[in-house]
């Protein structure tokens, strides 16, 4: 048997290295031609505008909103006026706004980008810094240089910048040169058109990312822009490593998979109004699609020294198109909580920096009452980082968890997880009815009163929470469901776990009296799955330890205690492993001795089996007498195994879910290998030379990297 194993190893290794040698000698296959940049969509990328204007407003606390506009109407839509109210809203220029600041002195945890198209969230970045331009949570799947999220769109002579967040490298860019009479100051602005980046002409959306991928973070890059009414300006911009983008639009990351669609988060429409309702498996009342796809009016608002954004959409004309006479206005407001000092540790902070206050208001300007309810869509586009290797566990025996799962908790059912696979399978099996109800209108009220509902990732989570000023804001909902934001038929096999899933909820129908309003409030949590932080918002069950949580949690505490002593998580993991193996040594030794004793008695047992091979009862009796004579208990060797299994699985789980291992290097100073203890060591990238069933993301047995630590183990 040893000879067979040796021969197999030699043959396999020989064929493996022969294959690699031939591939390198002949050259890898030519990549297929990259498709042209897709046409801009109403919810993701906007067409450029040459007359874009920008404005900035800063409050006393340093919370900043920056805004820019971009026109996406086609030439025919701009030249020919239309009386269709929905078409008019859809053809309006989009405005982008940001809340938060990347300046560490402002102390913000999040930088949130909003779009007036649908009044939704386009992007959320975690921007807490441990040192200048060094983020506590970096984007591990993005190694390119970063100058800030610009929401760029195609322009006639380059790429138009549509948003510049406060404190980003783009906002801090230094003016190098410009026209003699220019009054331009430092910092890029929304409306600027990038013409050159690092002496490379920029004409396509892909050009920007291609150039940035070639640059190393920490350097300086020259940017040439065309500014309306000013002329050509040249800026010098320092590049940094990208922060973790917790929420993003599909297509803005190399980790996205084919089949997912792009959609803004937290879109809102009317679920019913004066008898008109959303049809089953629909997203909006026919005729009110502009509430999701049209451009809302937007402005900055102040509240107790905080800056927020407000979106307003008059519904009068839209309702007339569906034969409803009602003078209603839909209003949405987002507030980012006051910043905390970034000098405090995240474990002891209040966590308010990871929360948005959110309210939806329907104003009745009529002289008569109207009955209506609200359809609120949830967060989508949660980061896919580590989706192809991270071991996220499911609480169900026969349903695996995905990279994005819907979680919720009710007084009746407790914590529940709706797996990505089940949401995908429901959409695949029923393309005309893809949504899946979480709870329906006929169920009791405690079934329809979630304490939280959100989309859960591997190391980051999002959720809607009741507002402290309105604890019953999520109570007694009408119904809620999950949805797949993608096309099931386009997914590559085994990549379903990365599907873009989300949820929606409908409020109960209520009557709004004349000249009054209906307001719904809630909170939105977007942050890391750090146990103490989640516990402050009732989300501690989002971390799934599995069956042996009673073992995993104490071991996690020991891990952090070791880290506090040695200040290196790699060494702390080794110490924890030695401790666990040391404590289990007596049990393991007993099992080994029992196995050795069994081996010594094996010849005698074989003789007994041959002597009484035709008499099973006598053979069993003689065997038991033989065991008693030699004082041997065969089952004693199995018992230690059953004792050790929960402990080793608990050890594995505590290391698998600990977000503090993310971005931690095994060897300090080495960033090219084993720089993330929450993932594979990634010694060598072989994704371009190995077949997909070996190195493919999701569908490959081993992933796109060759990892040496499992081989050593």
């Amino acid at each position: 048997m040893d000879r067979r194993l040796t021969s197999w190893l030699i043959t396999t290794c020989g064929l493996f290295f022969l294959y690699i040698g031939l591939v390198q000698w002949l050259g890898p296959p030519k990549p297929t031609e990259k498709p042209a940049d897709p046409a801009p969509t109403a919810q993701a990328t906007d067409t450029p505008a040459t007359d874009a204007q920008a404005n900035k407003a800063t409050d006393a606390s340093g919370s900043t909103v920056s805004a820019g506009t971009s026109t996406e109407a086609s030439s025919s839509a701009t030249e020919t006026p239309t009386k269709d109210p929905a078409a008019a809203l859809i053809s309006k220029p989009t405005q982008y706004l940001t809340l938060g600041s990347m300046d560490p002195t402002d102390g913000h945890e999040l930088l949130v980008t909003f779009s007036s198209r649908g009044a939704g969230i386009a992007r959320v970045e975690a921007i807490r810094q441990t040192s200048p331009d060094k983020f506590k949570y970096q984007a591990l799947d993005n190694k390119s240089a970063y100058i800030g999220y610009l929401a760029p769109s195609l322009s006639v002579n380059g790429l138009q910048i549509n948003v510049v967040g406060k404190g980003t490298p783009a906002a801090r860019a230094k003016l190098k040169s410009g026209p003699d009479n220019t009054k331009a100051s430092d910092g890029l602005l929304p409306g600027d058109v990038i013409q050159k980046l690092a002496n490379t002409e920029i004409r396509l959306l892909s050009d920007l990312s291609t150039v940035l991928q070639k640059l190393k973070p920490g350097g300086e890059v020259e940017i040439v822009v065309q500014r309306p009414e000013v002329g050509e300006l040249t800026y010098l911009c320092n590049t940094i490593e990208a922060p973790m983008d917790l929420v993003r639009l599909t297509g803005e990351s190399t980790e996205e998979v084919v089949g997912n669609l792009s959609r803004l988060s937290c879109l809102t429409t009317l679920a019913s109004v004066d008898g008109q309702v959303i049809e089953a498996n629909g997203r909006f009342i026919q005729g009110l699609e502009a509430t999701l796809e049209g451009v809302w009016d937007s402005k900055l608002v102040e509240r107790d020294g905080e800056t927020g954004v407000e979106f307003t959409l008059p519904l009068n004309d839209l309702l007339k198109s569906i034969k409803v006479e009602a003078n209603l206005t839909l209003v949405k407001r987002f507030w980012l909580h006051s910043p905390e000092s970034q000098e405090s540790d995240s474990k002891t902070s209040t966590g308010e920096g990871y929360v948005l206050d959110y309210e939806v208001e329907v104003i009745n300007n009529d002289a008569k009452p109207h009955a209506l309810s609200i359809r609120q869509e949830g967060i989508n586009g949660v980061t896919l980082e580590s989706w192809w290797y991270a071991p996220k566990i499911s609480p169900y025996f026969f349903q695996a968890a995905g990279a994005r799962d819907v979680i919720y908790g009710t007084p009746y059912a407790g914590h529940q997880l709706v797996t990505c696979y089940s949401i995908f399978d429901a959409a695949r099996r029923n393309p005309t009815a893809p949504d899946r109800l979480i709870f329906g209108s006929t169920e009791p009220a405690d079934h329809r009163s979630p304490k939280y509902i959100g989309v859960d990732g591997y190391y980051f989570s999002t959720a809607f929470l009741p507002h402290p000023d309105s604890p019953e804001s999520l109570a007694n909902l009408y119904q809620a469901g999950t949805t797949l934001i993608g096309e099931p038929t386009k997914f590559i096999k085994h990549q379903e776990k990365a599907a873009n899933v989300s949820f929606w909820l409908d409020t109960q129908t209520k009557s709004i009296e004349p000249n009054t309003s209906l307001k719904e409030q809630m909170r939105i949590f977007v942050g890391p799955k750090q146990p103490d932080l989640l516990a402050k918002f009732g989300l501690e069950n989002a971390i799934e330890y599995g069956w042996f949580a009673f073992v995993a949690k104490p071991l996690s505490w020991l891990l952090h205690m070791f880290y506090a002593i040695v200040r290196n998580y790699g060494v702390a993991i080794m110490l924890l492993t030695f401790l666990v193996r040391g404590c289990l040594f007596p049990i393991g030794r007993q099992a080994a001795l029992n196995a050795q004793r069994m081996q010594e008695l094996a010849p005698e047992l074989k003789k007994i089996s041959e002597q009484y091979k035709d008499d099973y009862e006598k053979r069993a009796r003689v065997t038991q007498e033989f065991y008693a004579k030699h004082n041997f208990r065969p089952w004693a060797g199995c018992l230690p195994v059953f004792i050790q299994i929960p402990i080793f699985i608990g050890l594995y789980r505590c290391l698998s879910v600990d977000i503090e291992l993310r971005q931690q290097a095994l060897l300090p100073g080495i960033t090219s290998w084993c720089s993330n203890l929450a993932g594979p060591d990634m010694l060598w990238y072989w994704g371009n030379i190995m077949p997909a069933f070996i190195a493919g993301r999701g569908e490959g047995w081993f992933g796109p990297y060759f990892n040496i630590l499992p081989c050593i183990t």
Side-chain angles (χ1 to χ4, degrees):
M1 187 171 181
D2 291 340
R3 289 197 300 270
R4 291 178 182 175
L5 178 61
T6 304
S7 302
W8 179 82
L9 287 174
I10 294 174
T11 305
T12 303
C13 292
L15 291 173
F16 173 73
F17 287 110
L18 176 63
Y19 173 78
I20 292 178
L22 289 173
V23 169
Q24 292 179 341
W25 177 48
L26 298 174
K30 287 186 177 182
T32 55
E33 185 177 352
K34 188 175 181 180
D37 291 292
T41 63
Q43 297 176 357
T45 308
D46 299 308
T47 319
T50 55
D51 59 346
Q53 300 296 325
N55 63 77
K56 292 187 178 181
T58 309
D59 68 355
S61 67
S63 177
T64 297
V65 177
S66 64
T69 59
S70 65
T71 305
E72 60 180 39
S74 63
S75 57
S76 59
T78 4
E79 293 170 3
T80 307
T82 176
K83 294 182 180 180
D84 183 356
L89 288 171
I90 292 173
S91 64
K92 285 176 62 177
T94 303
Q95 186 177 33
Y96 290 86
L97 306 97
T98 64
L99 285 179
S101 168
M102 204 172 282
D103 187 338
T105 60
D106 290 336
H108 284 281
E109 307 274 11
L110 301 176
L111 181 62
V112 187
T113 303
F114 301 89
S115 171
S116 63
R117 183 166 298 282
I121 296 175
R123 193 178 186 91
V124 181
E125 297 171 286
I127 56 172
R128 170 179 281 269
Q129 299 182 31
T130 56
S131 60
D133 292 337
K134 295 293 182 182
F135 298 100
K136 179 174 177 62
Y137 302 111
Q138 296 176 358
L140 301 182
D141 60 352
N142 183 5
K143 301 297 184 182
S144 65
Y146 176 81
I147 62 175
Y149 179 61
L150 307 177
S153 57
L154 294 174
S155 182
V156 176
N157 54 353
L159 287 187
Q160 178 179 299
I161 297 173
N162 291 317
V163 66
V164 178
K166 185 189 176 186
T168 60
R172 293 177 285 161
K174 300 295 183 182
L175 180 65
K176 178 182 179 182
S177 63
D180 295 336
N181 60 345
T182 182
K183 297 181 181 180
S185 59
D186 292 339
L188 300 175
L189 295 176
D192 290 348
V193 177
I194 301 177
Q195 295 181 316
K196 287 186 178 181
L197 180 65
N199 295 319
T200 303
E201 288 192 358
I202 304 297
R203 291 291 178 266
L204 302 173
L205 292 172
S206 57
D207 292 343
L208 181 62
S209 59
T210 299
V211 174
L212 290 175
Q213 286 171 5
K214 294 178 180 179
L215 300 175
K216 291 184 178 181
E220 189 177 63
V221 62
E222 185 176 280
I223 305 175
V224 179
V225 301
Q226 186 74 23
R227 181 168 296 171
E229 301 178 0
V230 174
E232 185 175 286
L233 302 172
T234 302
Y235 284 89
L236 294 177
C237 182
N238 292 320
T239 63
I240 62 175
E241 293 181 335
M244 186 66 210
D245 41 356
L246 307 181
V247 176
R248 58 197 176 199
L249 292 172
T250 296
E252 293 183 347
S253 167
T254 57
E255 289 294 294
E256 280 292 352
V257 301
V258 176
N260 282 333
L261 299 178
S262 185
R263 183 181 298 174
L264 295 168
S265 295
C266 299
L267 300 180
T268 310
T269 187
L270 297 182
S272 66
V273 54
D274 291 351
Q276 298 268 23
V277 299
I278 297 177
E279 295 181 0
N281 303 301
R283 284 185 62 211
F284 48 80
I285 298 173
Q286 292 299 321
L288 297 186
E289 58 271 21
T291 55
L292 304 179
E293 301 171 1
V295 173
W296 298 41
D297 296 328
S298 57
K299 66 177 181 179
L300 315 180
V301 288
E302 297 289 332
R303 181 189 70 172
D304 299 330
E306 295 179 342
T307 302
V309 296
E310 180 180 279
F311 298 100
T312 306
L313 184 67
L315 299 177
N316 190 15
D317 293 337
L318 292 175
L319 292 173
K320 283 182 180 178
S321 67
I322 62 171
K323 296 180 174 54
V324 173
E325 293 294 332
N327 188 6
L328 304 177
T329 301
L330 193 54
V331 182
K332 298 174 65 173
R333 301 181 187 93
F334 295 89
W335 311 86
L336 186 62
H337 277 223
S338 298
E340 302 175 30
S341 171
Q342 291 202 7
E343 295 177 359
S344 64
D345 190 277
S346 63
K347 294 182 181 179
T348 59
S349 69
T350 64
E352 295 295 305
Y354 292 107
V355 170
L356 284 165
D357 274 355
Y358 175 47
E359 61 184 43
V360 178
E361 184 176 13
V362 184
I363 303 173
N364 182 6
N365 303 306
D366 259 352
K368 61 179 180 179
H370 295 282
L372 57 86
S373 60
I374 296 171
R375 163 69 61 91
Q376 179 62 56
E377 296 186 358
I379 296 283
N380 77 87
V382 174
T383 174
L384 278 181
E385 179 191 87
S386 72
W387 72 269
W388 51 273
Y389 63 78
K392 187 178 178 185
I393 195 171
S394 167
Y396 310 117
F397 195 80
F398 293 108
Q399 293 185 41
R404 298 157 166 165
D405 302 302
V406 173
I407 58 172
Y408 67 97
T410 65
Y412 170 78
H415 176 75
Q416 297 292 317
L417 181 143
V418 185
T419 67
C420 175
Y421 287 105
S422 64
I423 298 172
F424 177 89
D425 193 55
R428 180 181 61 84
R429 293 175 179 272
N430 304 288
T432 58
D435 291 0
R436 170 180 171 180
L437 276 183
I438 296 175
F439 49 76
S441 58
T442 59
E443 299 182 48
D446 60 342
H447 294 213
R448 297 181 279 106
S449 302
K451 296 179 289 185
Y452 56 85
I453 180 171
V455 179
D456 181 58
Y458 281 116
Y459 295 109
F460 301 92
S461 194
T462 68
F464 284 178
L465 308 169
H467 195 280
D469 296 340
S470 180
E472 302 299 316
S473 53
L474 289 180
N476 195 27
L477 297 174
Y478 181 73
Q479 62 180 0
T482 62
T483 186
L484 172 70
I485 305 176
E487 301 180 34
T489 57
K490 293 187 178 180
F491 278 79
I492 298 173
K493 192 176 181 181
H494 303 304
Q495 290 191 352
E496 303 91 342
K497 66 183 298 185
N500 189 12
V501 300
S502 187
F503 63 95
W504 51 265
L505 50 89
D506 291 348
T507 65
Q508 292 283 359
T509 301
K510 297 178 182 178
S511 178
I512 312 179
E513 295 302 315
N515 300 314
T516 61
S517 66
L518 169 67
K519 184 183 293 185
E520 300 286 350
Q521 292 179 295
M522 67 180 71
R523 277 185 154 186
I524 303 174
F525 171 84
V526 184
K529 293 171 71 171
Q530 204 280 332
D532 294 339
L533 175 64
L534 294 179
K536 292 172 182 176
F537 300 101
L539 295 169
E540 59 272 13
N541 288 326
I543 302 178
E544 180 62 55
Y545 289 98
W547 293 345
F548 305 112
F550 63 93
V551 176
K553 290 181 179 180
L555 291 179
S556 180
W557 181 86
L558 286 172
L559 174 68
H560 291 287
M561 184 190 72
F562 284 133
Y563 174 75
I565 298 172
V566 300
R567 308 307 297 176
N568 181 282
Y569 272 109
V571 177
I573 291 173
M574 295 177 192
L575 292 175
L576 180 62
T577 306
F578 288 146
L579 176 64
V580 172
R581 295 300 295 264
C583 292
L584 293 176
F585 175 74
I587 299 175
R589 178 178 180 275
Q590 183 61 43
L593 290 174
N594 199 75
Q596 184 178 5
R597 189 77 187 281
M598 185 70 178
Q599 188 176 8
E600 293 172 355
L601 299 177
E604 295 297 328
L605 291 171
K606 185 177 181 181
K607 290 180 181 179
I608 293 174
S609 297
E610 292 176 351
Q611 184 177 358
Y612 302 104
K613 62 181 179 180
D614 297 327
D615 191 343
Y616 177 80
E617 292 184 1
K618 191 170 185 178
R619 182 177 62 185
R621 185 176 69 254
V622 172
T623 301
Q624 292 300 324
E625 292 172 354
F626 179 79
Y627 285 153
K629 177 182 177 181
H630 292 84
N631 193 26
F632 177 72
R633 295 188 297 270
W635 292 106
C638 301
L639 183 61
V641 175
F642 288 108
I643 295 175
Q644 294 179 73
I645 284 177
I647 297 174
F648 283 126
I649 292 179
L651 174 63
Y652 172 73
R653 288 308 307 163
C654 92
L655 299 177
S656 297
V657 301
D658 198 326
I659 192 174
E660 299 301 329
L661 299 182
R662 190 180 172 277
Q663 290 178 223
Q664 296 293 329
L666 177 63
L667 301 174
I670 297 181
T671 59
S672 58
W673 172 73
C674 205
S675 59
N676 175 28
L677 290 175
D681 61 87
M682 301 182 181
L683 176 67
W684 171 43
Y685 181 78
W686 63 1
N688 56 346
I689 63 172
M690 299 298 290
F693 75 91
I694 291 179
R697 293 178 185 264
E699 73 267 32
W701 281 90
F702 302 106
Y705 291 89
F706 174 75
N707 306 301
I708 191 64
L709 290 182
C711 298
I712 295 175
T713 301

